[in-house]
């Protein structure tokens, strides 16, 4: 199994610098362009691997809840093979992602 992700993070476009109820903080907002590619296979059957590539754009924000930092983002992603002049909205994925990082 293998995967490759490239992400271009633009400098923060807006610093929200907002505090709600003294425990929720919204920090900088950034725009990210990304390209993903992956292969998934079992055993030694790499020739039968499922291949997928895609590109997208997302708006990401740092969210602090008490002492915990979370990154949440809203984005659009499109499979690479669907990028042409006949792109339809049914081919576009809208997603919301919430990430927590645990330092080790």
């Amino acid at each position: 199994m293998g995967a490759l992700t490239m992400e271009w993070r633009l400098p923060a476009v807006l610093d929200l610098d907002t505090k709600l109820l003294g425990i929720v903080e919204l920090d900088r907002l950034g725009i990210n362009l990304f390209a993903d590619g992956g292969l998934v296979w079992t055993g030694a059957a790499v020739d039968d691997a499922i291949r997928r590539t895609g590109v997208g754009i997302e708006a990401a924000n740092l969210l602090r809840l008490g002492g915990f930092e979370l990154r949440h983002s809203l984005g659009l992603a499109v499979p690479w093979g669907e990028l042409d002049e006949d792109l339809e909205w049914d081919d576009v994925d809208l997603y919301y992602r919430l990430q927590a990082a645990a330092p080790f």
Side-chain angles (χ1 to χ4, degrees), residues 53-65:
T53 56
V55 295
I57 185 169
E58 71 179 10
N61 179 253
L62 186 62
L63 171 68
R64 291 187 184 95
L65 295 170

Side-chain angles (χ1 to χ4, degrees), residues 4 8 10 16 25 36 48 80 92 100:
L4 171 68
W8 181 35
L10 301 173
L16 298 177
E25 294 180 51
D36 288 320
D48 297 329
W80 184 263
V92 179

Side-chain angles (χ1 to χ4, degrees), residues 36-60:
D36 288 320
L39 294 171
V40 179
W41 68 90
T42 57
V46 178
D47 292 339
D48 297 329
I50 298 170
R51 294 167 168 80
R52 180 162 179 174
T53 56
V55 295
I57 185 169
E58 71 179 10

Side-chain angles (χ1 to χ4, degrees), residues 25 27-28 61-72 98-103:
E25 294 180 51
D27 206 350
R28 64 191 179 279
N61 179 253
L62 186 62
L63 171 68
R64 291 187 184 95
L65 295 170
F68 298 102
E69 284 191 1
L70 303 168
R71 180 177 179 234
H72 65 133
L98 183 63
Q99 292 176 307

Side-chain angles (χ1 to χ4, degrees), residues 11-31:
V13 294
L14 178 63
D15 190 354
L16 298 177
D17 196 22
T18 302
K19 189 178 269 192
L20 304 168
L21 303 174
I23 58 169
V24 178
E25 294 180 51
L26 299 172
D27 206 350
R28 64 191 179 279
L29 176 70
I31 304 297

